[in-house]
Amino acid sequence: MPDSTAQSPATRRPRPDPGRVEDLVREHWGLPVTATHPLPSHKDFNTRIDTPEGPAAVLKIYAPDESPDVIDLELAVLERLAARAPDLPVPRPLPTLDGQLTLRVDLPGQGAHRARLLSWLPGEPLAGARPRGVDPAEALGRLLGRLDAALADFDHPGAHRESFVWELSQAPGILREGAERVTRPGGRGLVERALADFETYVAPRADDLPRQVVHNDANDHNVLLAPPDASPRPVVGLLDFGDCTHTWRVAEVAIAAAYAALGESRPERIVATLAAAYHGQQPLTDAELAVLHTLVRARLAVSVCLSAAARAEEPDEPYLTVSEAPAWEALERLGAIHDRFAEGLYRHACGRPPPPAWVAVASWLGEHAAAGASPLDGAADPSAMLVLDLSVDSPDVDDLDALADARGWTRRIERQLDEAGARAGVGRYDEVRLCYTSPSFATGEDDGERRTVHLGVDLFAPAGTPVRAPLDGRVVWRADNARPLDYGPTVLLEHGPPGGPRFFTLYGHLSRDSLAGLRARQTVRRGEAFAALGDVSENGGWPPHLHFQVLADHLDATGDFPGVAAPSERQVWLALCPDPALLIPLPPGSRAPRAPGVDELMRARRARIAPALSVSYRKPLHIVRGWRQHLYDADGQAYLDGVNNVCHVGHAHPRVVAAARRQMGVLNTNTRYLHPALLTYAERLAATLPDPLEVCFFVNSGSEANELALRLAFTATGRSDVVVLEGAYHGNTGRAVEISPYKFDGPGGRGAPPWVHVAPMPDPFRGACADEPDPGAAYAAALGDVVRAAADAGRPVAAFIHESILSCGGQIVPPAGFLP
């Protein structure tokens, strides 16, 4: 973003005549200029220089008040990079014919200025790239990490600027003053919070942050990407070294991330990706990772504050506010993420351990295994508890619709406990579930990710069962989270065991009466009953149970805290919310086993499964359940099934499952025996078909059906040639492959056998006859030509085979009149 504190509009930017610019470049640099194209700039004058070969350079004429040290700094940085990292995609200074890197220029009526020429870098600015995703952020992070590594021991007098507004340590003063000018609804609060968090998280660590000269302005207009057809899109240029300064090194990452995150629905992912890539080239310290999120927000807040000031000064200057709207959006989204959680997120992305405070809690719990009393009557003896499987692929959950019936679900759990002779049931920690169906469990982001990972344990027992404190503690807050499928009445306790760290325990799905007797800061003793379980009418609509969760940090939450995490943030949330089995007595298996990862499965598949059985998608899907029209992966994320060619009535259709289960319990054999069900089915099937189709063959698959159809045709006609359509696929058995152009014309195919004749695909939109007045008749005529040509060649055909919709050919519905 522009510097709104520059000189007055009258003297801010040089305005040379285009003819004067061309003469300067020809005279002093010897370039055959064909055209100039002014570029956006607030303070200086920039223009692209074209030659007969295309864009060649950028001429900058500095404002008259620009410090010579700052001008020399920019050129010195570029010279250092040319020497230390010559392959970095940054501009190169072009010397004049007499070897100078800057030139004194006199502009009529505007006085003396300095000018310089830099090489032109082609590419599309990141600001115009949509969609962006994480690829450009990763590439930019690597580039900046290499750049800063090359500048690690570089210094220059011009890098030590006084009161430079774009130097991030100056943010507090700008935000204090700028908050007063903000008129956007809710904007002032965002700015003031960014300031408060800066003073909370950055100021105490300021002396621990490494400092060096950095680019300091990798905004989305200064970052160039390869053309849109490249995948992934590499960063091919970094422009404008005019804001280089000596500052905190992590400011480089924060500034670049602030702009790369503009317009992104999950900006924290962009920050994490960029930081991890930078860290791979130039490792970030613990202090830098602790303040990164705060600094990203501070940069965005500084930008919107300076834009507000600039708009008041120059309301007609669009360059000053070009990024203001998306900056506000990014500031709001990032502001919804607590700085201490973001620290854990970015540490995880960089391959670092969780924050030390979180590790301290898990370590203390591990050293004092099961030191807490059971929080629930009936759950003190692990041997009297039954571990339940509520996971995404649980065979005990065979009807997902039943999960919406809390009372029916309650009866099922009670029946399981009764059959096992258990006093309480345990719902597992770190379990991926499909029962979180309310809108509140959607992340609300473009990728459709839902929160599915359970962060506590569930202890199932009758409503009214007393809930007890596992350790001495005090009430932090109590609240009634009354939305459907929420916690219902909830309590958070704080614990500070002697010689141990402070941590918290959360209790959800309580009775409403439990809240009446509690107050904030009230002390509760180990084993004291301070609440009771609620029933389905008051606990959020769940079977009666206690959601028990351990928190290393409650992130200043007041009244609510996530009990379910998004899979993309799973490891961070599990580090923040350690296994309750470390604190309270639980039976073995109370933590769900982790599903094997995609990479692990792919290694095993390559070793055991023939490669001819291909896997779909560049990022393969680990599918563990089907229900109705959806498939679900191991993270509980739903995929609309638009490709499955087996389950025509949806996955796990209750009537089909019930019928199959019933029949499998009685008889499963073949057709060599007499059975009335076989005849009943044949009669019902034949009744749906036109005469004279009335005799059935029962086969196992489409491929087997096509093989049998070919045998029937060959036997009936005494011939063995077949006509097929372009792009067709008819199965994966011997003859079915031989008559499938999708196979014999595809990778590894050997072309059509001599007995297979290929007719044009009847595509009514793009095919050879698509423009005919009657494309159906035209394609039928073309098919007839193929049949006649085969007969003329002495190969009369036995059969013509046709998919009702050409699937592998592109889901083509043939035009009317073709098949008749």
Side-chain angles (χ1 to χ4, degrees):
M1 275 193 184
D3 176 356
S4 66
T5 63
Q7 300 299 306
S8 65
T11 60
R12 180 176 296 145
R13 185 190 305 144
R15 299 181 184 275
D17 178 81
R20 173 67 172 144
V21 168
E22 295 182 11
D23 291 342
L24 280 172
V25 175
R26 291 191 185 99
E27 177 182 354
H28 295 282
W29 280 275
L31 291 180
V33 182
T34 59
T36 63
H37 299 274
L39 302 172
S41 179
H42 178 236
K43 185 178 178 182
D44 307 310
F45 172 81
N46 292 285
T47 190
R48 189 183 84 199
I49 304 299
D50 290 355
T51 67
E53 288 73 35
V58 174
L59 176 71
K60 169 172 272 194
I61 300 178
Y62 292 93
D65 62 323
E66 186 64 271
S67 164
D69 279 346
V70 171
I71 298 174
D72 293 342
L73 165 66
E74 181 179 0
L75 297 173
V77 165
L78 292 174
E79 286 186 300
R80 162 59 72 96
L81 294 176
R84 291 283 184 90
D87 59 331
L88 282 180
V90 298
R92 304 300 179 196
L94 301 177
T96 63
L97 294 175
D98 58 2
Q100 302 300 309
L101 293 180
T102 62
L103 179 73
R104 178 186 171 91
V105 176
D106 290 314
L107 299 179
Q110 300 177 58
H113 302 258
R114 291 181 72 182
R116 59 97 180 105
L117 200 66
L118 295 179
S119 60
W120 170 259
L121 294 180
E124 178 190 5
L126 176 62
R130 288 292 183 273
R132 293 181 179 179
V134 298
D135 289 339
E138 183 177 8
L140 179 58
R142 284 196 303 269
L143 186 154
L144 292 174
R146 294 181 57 215
L147 184 149
D148 288 353
L151 295 176
D153 58 350
F154 173 84
D155 206 353
H156 189 281
H160 300 267
R161 309 190 190 193
E162 292 290 334
S163 302
F164 182 39
V165 295
W166 294 115
E167 204 264 290
L168 261 178
S169 67
Q170 303 295 315
I174 297 169
L175 299 185
R176 286 191 194 94
E177 180 182 348
E180 301 292 333
R181 298 192 181 98
V182 172
T183 58
R184 179 188 176 97
R188 181 169 178 175
L190 288 172
V191 171
E192 289 175 341
R193 189 176 150 216
L195 171 60
D197 288 343
F198 190 103
E199 293 173 337
T200 298
Y201 297 106
V202 180
R205 296 181 172 94
D207 292 340
D208 298 327
L209 301 175
R211 299 180 68 92
Q212 70 165 81
V213 173
V214 299
H215 178 278
N216 200 55
D217 193 24
N219 72 60
D220 52 350
H221 289 271
N222 287 341
V223 176
L224 302 178
L225 300 181
D229 56 355
S231 181
R233 297 185 67 182
V235 173
V236 296
L238 178 64
L239 308 176
D240 194 355
F241 284 72
D243 281 351
C244 284
T245 191
H246 190 273
T247 184
W248 298 320
R249 179 181 62 181
V250 69
E252 186 85 286
V253 183
I255 292 166
Y259 290 100
L262 295 181
E264 297 290 335
S265 62
R266 297 288 287 271
E268 72 280 7
R269 291 186 178 181
I270 303 301
V271 180
T273 299
L274 195 149
Y278 183 97
H279 181 79
Q281 305 295 323
Q282 182 84 323
L284 295 165
T285 66
D286 285 353
E288 289 176 306
L289 290 168
V291 303
L292 174 58
H293 192 71
T294 316
L295 290 178
V296 173
R297 292 168 53 220
R299 173 64 179 218
L300 290 167
V302 165
S303 295
V304 296
C305 285
L306 292 180
S307 289
R311 187 171 55 252
E313 181 181 341
E314 293 186 72
D316 297 327
E317 177 54 85
Y319 178 70
L320 298 174
T321 56
V322 65
S323 299
E324 186 176 5
W328 276 117
E329 181 184 69
L331 183 59
E332 185 172 5
R333 289 180 181 271
L334 291 171
I337 301 168
H338 196 286
D339 295 69
R340 296 197 296 274
F341 179 79
E343 177 187 357
L345 195 67
Y346 303 151
R347 289 178 67 93
H348 176 70
C350 293
R352 301 283 295 140
W358 302 2
V359 173
V361 172
S363 298
W364 187 89
L365 291 171
E367 293 166 3
H368 299 77
S374 173
L376 201 66
D377 282 5
D381 180 4
S383 66
M385 304 167 72
L386 175 66
V387 176
L388 304 171
D389 184 355
L390 305 175
S391 65
V392 58
D393 56 346
S394 170
D396 295 333
V397 184
D398 58 359
D399 183 348
L400 298 191
D401 287 347
L403 296 177
D405 177 13
R407 298 189 188 278
W409 189 9
T410 301
R411 288 192 294 272
R412 174 180 288 205
I413 291 174
E414 289 174 344
R415 192 162 53 247
Q416 286 182 270
L417 297 181
D418 184 61
E419 292 172 355
R423 297 186 61 191
V426 179
R428 298 180 294 185
Y429 170 74
D430 192 19
E431 184 172 66
V432 176
R433 299 174 174 177
L434 295 181
C435 57
Y436 306 116
T437 56
S438 77
S440 62
F441 292 100
T443 60
E445 309 304 345
D446 294 343
D447 58 11
E449 185 181 29
R450 294 186 65 85
R451 296 188 293 124
T452 57
V453 182
H454 193 229
L455 297 176
V457 292
D458 292 327
L459 301 177
F460 291 88
T465 301
V467 175
R468 302 181 183 276
L471 297 174
D472 291 349
R474 68 178 183 89
V475 177
V476 179
W477 46 254
R478 74 268 193 277
D480 189 356
N481 297 287
R483 293 178 302 177
L485 298 185
D486 206 331
Y487 284 131
T490 318
V491 173
L492 184 74
L493 300 183
E494 178 184 0
H495 308 282
R502 184 180 72 147
F503 63 93
F504 307 85
T505 51
L506 183 143
Y507 308 79
H509 312 301
L510 306 176
S511 68
R512 197 155 284 124
D513 290 343
S514 299
L515 304 183
L518 294 175
R519 65 184 185 279
R521 306 193 65 82
Q522 176 180 331
T523 298
V524 293
R525 297 300 179 189
R526 185 182 192 275
E528 177 184 345
F530 65 91
L533 294 187
D535 65 25
V536 66
S537 67
E538 60 184 346
N539 72 356
W542 299 93
H545 74 284
L546 173 69
H547 173 89
F548 178 80
Q549 187 171 339
V550 180
L551 287 61
D553 186 338
H554 77 304
L555 304 178
D556 305 320
T558 55
D560 196 8
F561 191 88
V564 184
S568 62
E569 298 174 348
R570 183 179 198 163
Q571 293 306 117
V572 182
W573 281 106
L574 294 178
L576 175 60
C577 302
D579 190 345
L582 296 172
L583 177 62
I584 63 173
L586 289 170
S590 62
R591 178 170 188 161
R594 185 65 63 86
V598 167
D599 292 342
E600 179 183 350
L601 288 173
M602 283 301 297
R603 285 193 296 271
R605 183 178 175 113
R606 292 187 185 104
R608 301 297 181 194
I609 306 298
L613 300 177
S614 61
V615 175
S616 297
Y617 310 112
R618 286 188 294 272
K619 183 180 179 182
L621 301 177
H622 179 189
I623 298 297
V624 298
R625 180 180 286 279
W627 178 251
R628 296 187 181 274
Q629 71 271 35
H630 288 108
L631 294 171
Y632 294 87
D633 69 12
D635 287 330
Q637 305 304 302
Y639 297 83
L640 182 64
D641 186 1
V643 299
N644 199 297
N645 57 356
V646 176
C647 302
H648 294 293
V649 293
H651 296 278
H653 193 293
R655 286 178 57 189
V656 174
V657 170
R661 181 184 289 122
R662 196 164 51 246
Q663 183 61 47
M664 291 288 285
V666 177
L667 177 66
N668 177 25
T669 185
N670 55 37
T671 58
R672 65 169 52 95
Y673 306 111
L674 294 177
H675 198 286
L678 179 69
L679 302 176
T680 300
Y681 180 54
E683 290 171 358
R684 291 178 61 183
L685 183 63
T688 69
L689 302 174
D691 292 335
L693 299 177
E694 58 183 14
V695 176
C696 297
F697 291 88
F698 291 113
V699 292
N700 189 57
S701 67
S703 296
E704 189 177 341
N706 286 342
E707 289 280 353
L708 179 57
L710 290 174
R711 287 174 58 197
L712 290 170
F714 295 167
T715 301
T717 64
R719 304 168 183 171
S720 58
D721 281 50
V722 178
V723 175
V724 300
L725 296 175
E726 293 172 324
Y729 175 60
H730 298 296
N732 59 9
T733 54
R735 277 204 182 97
V737 169
E738 291 181 302
I739 64 168
S740 296
Y742 177 72
K743 290 292 188 181
F744 62 63
D745 285 338
R750 299 180 179 179
W755 54 276
V756 176
H757 311 278
V758 182
M761 179 190 299
D763 186 338
F765 302 104
R766 294 156 298 183
C769 303
D771 296 330
E772 296 289 337
D774 186 349
Y779 280 120
L783 174 62
D785 292 342
V786 172
V787 173
R788 283 188 292 274
D792 292 345
R795 304 199 67 107
V797 301
F800 165 52
I801 187 168
H802 180 338
E803 300 164 89
S804 54
I805 293 178
L806 282 78
S807 57
C808 292
Q811 307 300 325
I812 301 299
V813 179
F818 173 70
L819 282 176

